[in-house]
Amino acid sequence: MWSRGGNLLAAYPAGSLKDKVPLDGALPGAKAAEKEEGDQGGEVEEVAAMGGSEIALLTPDGRLARVDAANGALLTRPLPAHPNPDRSGIGTLDDIFTRGKLVPRPHHPGQVAVVTRRGAAFGDILLWDLRIPRHIRTLSGLPISAPSVSSDDPSPGPLAFDERGSRLAVQTSSRKVRVWDVDRGKQLPGSATSSSDGYMIGVGAGDKALTYKGGRVTIHDLTDAENSTTLHVPDGAETFVRGNRLEVLFGGVQGSFTLRRRTFDLRPEAQFRALCKVADRDYTTAERELLPDGTPAQPPCT
């Protein structure tokens, strides 16, 4: 448990809420009764799970730290995320009204991708290994769509890794979604467009980026925009990309709070097999008149 606008509160074992580990003193300065104006060293802006009981923390002034939530021990003392001092700290109105973002890198223990408040304006994505600790590289592109400080939007935010941690989808301030090859430090060709009231979900297998708006998930083909497809999901559902799967979590109906899950296979060949199983029929005469020349005469799902 943690406070969006203040300090960490506590950690609880997953199997029981009886035992509590206080975390409000995990960062230096967190328990200070009075802090100097502008000193946010003890506050926490973002939290990311790093495996086991380790969590990574990002402060409003752009510092990173690592904490063991099992006992509240500080494993990596707060350090500036930006190796460039000009990119750290708070100094503009955008810095005040937006917040940073922190996501763990799958299959790369200890690594995180971070966008600080000020770094969002420069398009800086910082890759860190917090167990060493060491700044690995900076991916610099277009300004990044930083979440608003006042927003409680549960959307995934402007950063999302693929299942292997090799590619990173980024939503820019112009609502474009670009995908990075993280190890090579290169952007993939092409981009996807997210609407002003939609957001980016993540990156799928191949050259695919996924966005969400009002109950519709669009699967963008970065190499061929005309090859994009749309799936309809319950409005307000939470969506996650896991390799070739889109997982959708949503509540029950008629006052029930039971969490329900749907899984969609994003591979076209798998979707085609599912359609064939449901239809279980040949083309009608009218449909065959619409098919291009050379279409095989046998049923489509044989």
Side-chain angles (χ1 to χ4, degrees):
M1 296 182 61
W2 66 293
S3 168
R4 170 74 74 186
N7 302 318
L8 285 179
L9 299 179
Y12 297 84
S16 170
L17 296 181
K18 295 180 180 180
D19 300 323
K20 180 174 76 171
V21 178
L23 298 176
D24 57 345
L27 292 185
K31 286 188 174 181
E34 293 183 5
K35 296 193 289 289
E36 295 182 5
E37 185 177 356
D39 178 14
Q40 296 176 302
E43 294 186 9
V44 176
E45 182 159 74
E46 282 284 309
V47 180
M50 298 182 66
S53 59
E54 293 184 10
I55 57 176
L57 313 176
L58 174 65
T59 67
D61 61 352
R63 292 193 291 169
L64 289 169
R66 184 170 60 103
V67 169
D68 190 334
N71 56 15
L74 182 65
L75 302 176
T76 302
R77 297 188 63 82
L79 48 87
H82 272 283
N84 180 354
D86 294 337
R87 296 285 208 267
S88 62
I90 300 175
T92 69
L93 288 177
D94 287 341
D95 297 337
I96 297 173
F97 293 110
T98 60
R99 66 176 186 262
K101 188 65 178 178
L102 179 68
V103 295
R105 187 182 182 190
H107 293 276
H108 294 75
Q111 292 190 21
V112 294
V114 57
V115 173
T116 65
R117 293 185 177 194
R118 177 167 290 191
F122 293 98
D124 289 344
I125 305 162
L126 307 161
L127 193 65
W128 272 87
D129 187 329
L130 287 179
R131 292 185 178 179
I132 297 178
R134 178 173 66 92
H135 170 248
I136 299 173
R137 66 171 52 90
T138 298
L139 307 175
S140 294
L142 298 173
I144 297 168
S145 177
S148 169
V149 168
S150 61
S151 173
D152 289 326
D153 187 356
S155 64
L159 302 179
F161 277 106
D162 69 354
E163 192 174 34
R164 301 299 302 177
S166 60
R167 294 186 176 182
L168 178 66
V170 182
Q171 182 167 294
T172 69
S173 58
S174 62
R175 315 304 296 182
K176 293 285 187 181
V177 178
R178 303 299 302 267
V179 178
W180 285 86
D181 183 322
V182 180
D183 289 323
R184 295 175 56 221
K186 301 290 186 181
Q187 282 190 349
L188 301 182
S191 64
T193 301
S194 174
S195 62
S196 59
D197 55 346
Y199 56 83
M200 182 264 297
I201 299 174
V203 53
D207 296 322
K208 299 290 192 300
L210 284 79
T211 61
Y212 174 88
K213 176 190 175 182
R216 296 192 305 274
V217 173
T218 303
I219 307 167
H220 304 267
D221 188 333
L222 299 180
T223 61
D224 182 3
E226 295 183 357
N227 197 33
S228 299
T229 57
T230 300
L231 293 174
H232 291 270
V233 301
D235 194 11
E238 292 195 40
T239 52
F240 307 90
V241 181
R242 301 286 187 270
N244 289 315
R245 303 183 309 279
L246 173 69
E247 296 183 7
V248 181
L249 302 178
F250 57 100
V253 295
Q254 297 180 347
S256 171
F257 291 97
T258 302
L259 194 63
R260 301 163 65 188
R261 179 191 301 267
R262 290 181 183 173
T263 301
F264 297 89
D265 195 317
L266 299 176
R267 294 172 297 172
E269 62 273 19
Q271 295 172 11
F272 186 76
R273 287 196 298 268
L275 289 172
C276 287
K277 184 177 180 180
V278 172
D280 192 27
R281 66 170 178 82
D282 192 1
Y283 294 115
T284 65
T285 301
E287 288 171 341
R288 284 207 171 269
E289 291 178 355
L290 299 175
L291 297 176
D293 294 339
T295 300
Q298 65 266 28
C301 296
T302 54

